[in-house]
């Protein structure tokens, strides 16, 4: 873990330093530059198929236009050139779909196809002029824009290809003797190339900046996950190591209390023993919460689904907590429907109920708890309502956060009880909500899908049949 953390910190520092220093020359320090090239190549490879298809359609469309509107001697030449331009595009698309070429191969092949498109357009313009038909030079605009916005090539290749096309076009015009409007044409093409050059530079600069920030975010997320796992493992290990000495202290405290009961020691010793016992109990509760929380965080809690009668489960939990409820002078009113059955893990569901009732005992300052059910269609809602001090609205959204307490008091826990309830509810697919008002109590609602009666009867019949088979086999 320490090696991973050091490696992550080094990478983060490298990325942040590169981001702070800037990259006006559009180049990172190694090995970051190689990683970015692979990322850029991946982006190009993702669009190759669509760009190739668009190129083929566009070239075919222009060939049809040539056939319809140009003289025979001209369109025969232009169509042949356009067919020649289609061939490398098809080969490029086929090769990329059939295999995984190297990053440099992808970039270079895409660049060569783009250059052949530009050379092909220049050849069509020059050949038509030699044949006595003047085709406008604006066709190069489409090729240049095509490279700027669709291919996503590196800035240096775009710079070389676009200005190379501009230079080839000027040379071709001089060779064919078409120089009457050459300067205005070169000027407009140069303007287009300049605008595209600036746009391409800004595009790659933005892409590099986004790449650095994306890497920083991913590293931060990985570090956060690693820190969380380390914390959880530490809690689990510490809880396990503390369990034995705490159990030993608890046994000694109980033995001491029994000794004082049968002796004539002074009351002060009895008070100190009671405080010791209470402190050990509190320490045990804190340790239990930490261990359960660590198991939940590590994903070690797996539910074992059963069909459970909700009324029986609720009565068992309340009966088990009678001593604590009586000590807090809290009276419980149970109104749970006997026909309410749910498919859940009884141990985890019991833990939820225990934590919610314990929360009332420790924090609500209540004298009564009403536990009832309401069935609506196939949803059953278990309501746990007290008449205590309530929770203000600004705290209600945060009470399920870990280590959060409305009124911090470590003697009453660490603020993990309701966080554990929320996590267990998520595991059991229980919809948990709370409503509360100051000085008017708090109501927790647990909504879960109930089982249909037909399903219960079928399950009962299966259990009855299984029991009969067991009895028959025993005889």
């Amino acid at each position: 873990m320490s090696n991973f953390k050091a490696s992550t910190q080094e990478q983060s520092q490298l990325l942040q330093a590169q981001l702070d220093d800037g990259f006006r020359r559009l180049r990172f320090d190694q090995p970051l530059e190689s990683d970015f090239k692979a990322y850029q190549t991946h982006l190009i490879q993702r669009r190759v198929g669509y760009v190739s298809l668009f190129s083929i359609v566009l070239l075919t469309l222009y060939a049809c236009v040539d056939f319809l509107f140009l003289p025979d001697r001209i369109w025969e030449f232009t169509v042949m050139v356009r067919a020649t331009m289609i061939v490398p595009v098809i080969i490029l698309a086929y090769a990329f779909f059939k295999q995984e070429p190297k990053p440099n191969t992808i970039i270079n092949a895409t660049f060569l196809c783009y250059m052949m498109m530009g050379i092909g357009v220049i050849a069509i313009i020059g050949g038509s002029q030699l044949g006595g038909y003047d085709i406008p030079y604006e066709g190069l605009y489409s090729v240049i824009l095509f490279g700027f916005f669709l291919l996503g090539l590196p800035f240096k290749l775009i710079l070389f290809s676009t200005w190379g096309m501009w230079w080839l076009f000027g040379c071709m015009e001089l060779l064919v003797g078409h120089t009457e409007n050459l300067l205005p044409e070169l000027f407009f093409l140069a303007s287009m190339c300049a605008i595209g050059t600036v746009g391409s530079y800004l595009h790659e600069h933005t892409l590099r900046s986004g790449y650095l920030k994306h890497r920083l975010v991913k590293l931060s997320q990985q570090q956060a996950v690693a820190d969380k796992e380390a914390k959880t493992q530490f809690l689990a290990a510490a809880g396990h190591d503390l369990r034995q000495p705490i159990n030993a202290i608890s046994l000694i405290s109980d033995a001491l209390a029994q000794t004082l009961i049968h002796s004539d020691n002074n009351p002060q010793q009895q008070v100190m023993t009671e405080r010791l016992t209470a402190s050990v109990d509190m320490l045990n509760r804190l340790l239990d919460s930490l261990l359960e929380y660590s198991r939940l965080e590590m994903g070690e809690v797996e539910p074992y689904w059963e069909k459970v009668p909700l009324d029986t489960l609720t009565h068992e939990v309340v009966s088990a907590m009678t001593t604590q409820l009586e000590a807090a002078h809290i009276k419980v009113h149970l109104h749970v429907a006997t026909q309410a059955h749910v498919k859940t893990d009884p141990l985890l569901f019991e833990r939820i109920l225990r934590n919610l009732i314990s929360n009332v005992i420790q924090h609500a300052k209540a004298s009564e708890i009403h536990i009832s059910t309401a069935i609506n269609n196939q949803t059953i809602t278990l309501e746990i309502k007290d008449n205590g001090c309530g929770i203000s609205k600004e705290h209600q959204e945060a009470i399920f956060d870990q280590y959060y307490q409305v009124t911090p008091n470590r003697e009453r826990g660490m603020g993990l009880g309701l966080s554990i309830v929320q996590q267990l509810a998520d595991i059991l697919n229980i919809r948990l909500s709370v409503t509360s008002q100051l000085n008017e109590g708090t109501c927790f609602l647990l909504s879960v899908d109930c089982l249909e009666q037909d399903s219960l009867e079928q399950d009962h019949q299966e259990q009855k049949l299984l029991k009969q088979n067991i009895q028959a086999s025993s005889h």
Side-chain angles (χ1 to χ4, degrees):
M1 180 63 67
S2 60
N3 292 335
F4 170 80
K5 188 172 183 179
S7 175
T8 303
Q9 290 178 346
E10 290 175 0
Q11 292 182 54
S12 298
Q13 291 173 358
L14 175 63
L15 292 169
Q16 190 61 54
Q18 188 69 77
L19 191 61
D20 293 339
D21 293 342
F23 31 89
R24 295 177 182 176
R25 298 177 60 186
L26 298 182
R27 185 170 183 82
F28 295 143
D29 298 331
Q30 291 293 355
L32 191 56
E33 180 65 20
S34 298
D35 294 339
F36 174 76
K37 286 297 182 183
Y39 169 74
Q40 190 178 35
T41 302
H42 175 69
L43 294 180
I44 294 173
Q45 190 172 12
R46 286 173 55 185
R47 66 181 73 180
V48 161
Y50 301 103
V51 174
S52 299
L53 180 61
F54 179 71
S55 302
I56 294 171
V57 171
L58 198 62
L59 289 172
T60 304
L61 180 63
Y62 274 118
C64 293
V65 172
D66 292 348
F67 174 76
L68 293 174
F69 298 102
L70 295 180
D72 291 346
R73 68 182 188 282
I74 302 300
W75 71 258
E76 290 175 356
F77 169 73
T78 60
V79 169
M80 180 185 66
V81 175
R82 295 191 193 280
T84 305
M85 294 162 62
I86 289 178
V87 172
V89 175
I90 295 176
I91 295 175
L92 178 69
Y94 179 80
F96 284 0
F97 278 117
K98 287 295 182 180
Q99 58 183 351
E100 291 289 336
K102 296 181 179 179
N104 288 336
T105 304
I106 295 174
I107 293 178
N108 293 334
T110 306
F111 167 70
L112 289 175
C113 284
Y114 177 52
M115 284 297 297
M116 289 191 67
M117 293 277 287
I119 294 172
V121 171
I122 294 173
I124 288 174
I125 296 173
S128 300
Q129 290 174 355
L130 287 174
Y133 192 89
D134 190 8
I135 290 182
Y137 70 97
E138 283 85 351
L140 275 177
Y141 286 167
S142 301
V143 177
I144 294 173
L145 292 175
F146 192 86
F148 290 155
F149 297 108
L150 294 181
L151 293 179
L153 288 170
F155 167 72
K156 293 179 181 179
L157 293 182
I158 288 291
L159 181 67
F160 176 82
S161 59
T162 52
W163 287 101
M165 291 178 196
W166 177 83
W167 181 81
L168 288 175
F169 173 76
C171 293
M172 182 274 300
E173 291 284 78
L174 290 175
L175 288 174
V176 301
H178 193 269
T179 58
E180 183 178 353
N181 296 314
L182 180 58
L183 289 178
E185 291 174 356
L186 289 177
F187 174 78
F188 284 114
L189 279 177
S191 300
M192 179 66 67
C193 290
I195 294 172
T197 300
V198 174
S200 178
Y201 176 88
L202 294 177
H203 171 74
E204 184 169 337
H205 193 280
T206 303
L207 183 66
R208 286 175 176 269
S209 177
Y211 172 75
L212 292 177
K213 294 176 181 178
H214 175 71
R215 287 279 302 272
L216 282 170
V217 170
K218 289 197 69 174
L219 286 174
S220 298
Q221 292 173 344
Q222 293 174 3
Q223 184 63 54
V225 171
D227 290 344
K228 185 176 181 180
E229 291 179 353
K231 179 183 70 174
T232 304
Q233 292 174 359
F234 170 76
L235 289 175
H240 181 270
D241 293 341
L242 288 172
R243 177 64 72 186
Q244 291 183 347
I246 291 177
N247 287 339
I249 295 173
S250 180
L251 291 173
I252 295 172
S253 174
D254 291 340
L256 181 61
Q258 292 296 325
T259 302
L260 291 176
I261 290 175
H262 299 289
S263 65
D264 297 328
N265 290 321
N266 59 52
Q268 185 177 2
Q269 291 179 334
Q270 294 181 359
V271 171
M272 293 177 65
T273 303
E274 290 174 358
R275 290 179 178 177
L276 176 61
T277 302
S279 297
V280 172
D281 290 341
M282 182 189 69
L283 192 57
N284 266 318
R285 290 198 305 270
L286 294 177
L287 185 58
D288 289 339
S289 295
L290 282 173
L291 290 176
E292 185 167 14
Y293 174 74
S294 64
R295 290 180 64 236
L296 287 168
E297 287 293 302
M298 294 176 69
E300 295 181 354
V301 178
E302 292 290 339
Y304 295 93
W305 302 98
E306 299 179 19
K307 296 176 182 178
V308 180
L310 197 55
D311 60 330
T312 303
L313 180 62
T314 307
H315 277 86
E316 290 176 353
V317 172
V318 173
S319 297
M321 301 185 69
T322 299
T323 302
Q324 301 175 45
L325 291 165
E326 289 178 350
H329 306 290
I330 296 177
K331 185 177 182 180
V332 179
H333 303 275
L334 284 174
H335 305 283
V336 181
T338 57
Q339 73 275 19
H341 290 72
V342 295
K343 188 173 184 180
T344 188
D345 184 319
L347 294 179
L348 299 184
F349 200 99
E350 177 184 334
R351 184 59 175 165
I352 291 176
L353 294 180
R354 282 179 172 272
N355 278 17
L356 290 176
I357 295 174
S358 295
N359 184 72
V360 176
I361 294 174
Q362 297 176 20
H363 304 287
K365 301 177 182 179
S367 60
E368 292 183 350
I369 299 177
H370 293 265
I371 302 178
S372 60
T373 55
I375 301 177
N376 183 15
N377 294 329
Q378 297 303 317
T379 300
I380 182 169
T381 301
L382 182 66
E383 180 181 277
I384 303 173
K385 184 177 182 180
D386 65 70
N387 63 345
C389 58
I391 305 170
S392 60
K393 289 184 178 180
E394 61 266 24
H395 293 292
Q396 289 180 22
E397 293 185 358
I399 58 174
F400 296 106
D401 295 344
Q402 57 190 21
Y403 307 115
Y404 186 86
Q405 290 181 319
V406 176
T407 53
N409 188 338
R410 294 306 179 196
E411 293 183 359
R412 293 183 296 178
M414 298 183 64
L416 290 175
L418 292 181
S419 176
I420 292 173
V421 167
Q422 179 67 74
Q423 294 185 68
L424 291 175
D426 292 339
I427 293 174
L428 297 178
N429 300 321
I430 296 174
R431 297 173 290 280
L432 175 64
S433 60
V434 60
T435 57
S436 182
Q437 291 185 2
L438 283 177
N439 303 319
E440 294 186 13
T442 301
C443 178
F444 289 94
L445 299 174
L446 303 173
S447 298
V448 62
D449 296 333
C450 59
L451 297 176
E452 297 180 0
Q453 190 65 29
D454 293 341
S455 176
L456 292 173
E457 292 176 359
Q458 181 181 358
D459 184 62
H460 178 71
Q461 292 295 333
E462 291 176 354
Q463 291 178 356
K464 184 177 180 181
L465 181 61
L466 180 61
K467 188 175 181 180
Q468 292 174 353
N469 292 335
I470 293 174
Q471 291 175 350
S473 63
S474 63
H475 292 302

